[in-house]
Amino acid sequence: MAKQPLRLGVLVSGRGSNLQAIMDHARRGALDAQVAVVVSDVPDAYALERARRAGIPAVAVPRRDYAGKDEFNRAILDHLRSHEADLVVLAGYLRILSNELVDAYQGRIMNIHPSLIPAFCGKGMHGARVHQAALDYGVKVSGVTVHFVENDVDTGPIILQRAVPVEDDDTAETLAQRVLLQEHQVYSEAIQLFAEGRLKVEGRRVCILPA
Ligand code: GRF
């Protein structure tokens, strides 16, 4: 019997271009995975619309509907479990996961960040702020990082990184655009490596096993 594709539970807060790239790769057969459910803390996130259009279950879990962070995260966890997600993919998800959720999916949560971690990351570093910080610092190279998620922000073992040159006339917007093109490729590559069982975590290092 053919192996079942890896089931992804994707958490989003915004426009969902990374989600779109993952769905497109999966549909084209370039990724041995299927998006099982998309969950958003933002009910009108465009990412949910993208999922619905693709016929994928899309659920809004607004934070304000829950008394505390733990209850809110438990609701998300329930959706991930009921859709039998094997891997949780954070794709522009702006909230910090509860320890319970991280523990429940230990070693099975990925995030993407639009810089070369450990530069320009951590709490509050998201969106245009990341790219503006890179420009303000004057780095010549920025990029993208896909990493496993631990009980802290942007600190888990790094799976893949891609460098993106910074041009003299870059604005936060133009740099973000160029980094985003890389994001759309590298996230699916990381998920594919996970699907193939080729990611071996040794402390902070993630070794990529041969195919
Ligand atoms: C991306 O830049 C990603 O690296 C960061 O949030 C942004 C999400 O963009 N975590 P999109 O919603 O996938 O278009």
Side-chain angles (χ1 to χ4, degrees):
M1 207 169 75
K3 204 173 145 217
Q4 293 297 315
L6 185 76
R7 294 176 65 80
L8 309 178
V10 185
L11 305 192
V12 293
S13 298
R15 75 189 154 184
S17 71
N18 277 287
L19 165 70
Q20 187 70 56
I22 292 164
M23 293 190 302
D24 291 348
H25 281 124
R27 198 190 54 230
R28 273 190 255 125
L31 179 58
D32 298 322
Q34 73 179 77
V35 180
V37 64
V38 176
V39 182
S40 181
D41 59 317
V42 179
D44 62 355
Y46 185 57
L48 288 176
E49 180 61 26
R50 292 181 193 264
R52 284 187 203 108
R53 281 186 197 171
I56 291 167
V59 200
V61 180
R63 172 66 182 83
R64 62 174 176 273
D65 288 1
Y66 299 87
K69 185 181 167 184
D70 289 344
E71 292 90 334
F72 165 67
N73 276 272
R74 213 161 288 138
I76 293 174
L77 187 53
D78 286 347
H79 287 296
L80 293 169
R81 283 181 167 147
S82 69
H83 287 88
E84 297 176 11
D86 303 308
L87 178 69
V88 179
V89 174
L90 308 186
Y93 181 66
L94 292 179
R95 291 186 183 271
I96 297 170
L97 303 179
S98 67
N99 289 344
E100 184 187 357
L101 203 164
V102 174
D103 292 345
Y105 273 90
Q106 184 63 49
R108 296 187 296 144
I109 309 176
M110 284 186 191
N111 182 42
I112 190 161
H113 183 78
S115 74
L116 293 175
I117 289 176
F120 316 120
C121 64
K123 216 169 172 202
M125 266 295 182
H126 56 79
R129 271 189 229 171
V130 179
H131 304 292
Q132 193 57 55
L135 293 176
D136 291 347
Y137 200 92
V139 292
K140 299 295 186 191
V141 177
S142 191
V144 52
T145 303
V146 180
H147 63 94
F148 283 117
V149 171
E150 289 181 339
N151 294 318
D152 214 341
V153 183
D154 296 339
T155 59
I158 291 171
I159 301 166
L160 291 176
Q161 292 187 301
R162 290 282 185 280
V164 173
V166 177
E167 309 291 350
D168 288 347
D169 58 355
D170 262 334
T171 62
E173 204 170 295
T174 58
L175 181 57
Q177 280 302 326
R178 222 167 326 106
V179 171
L180 198 60
L181 291 176
Q182 293 295 322
E183 293 187 37
H184 294 165
Q185 299 306 319
V186 78
Y187 217 173
S188 292
E189 283 175 39
I191 295 166
Q192 181 63 24
L193 288 169
F194 185 93
E196 291 175 14
R198 292 174 56 200
L199 298 178
K200 186 163 171 240
V201 182
E202 290 176 352
R204 283 212 48 83
R205 300 185 74 175
V206 180
C207 302
I208 298 175
L209 304 174

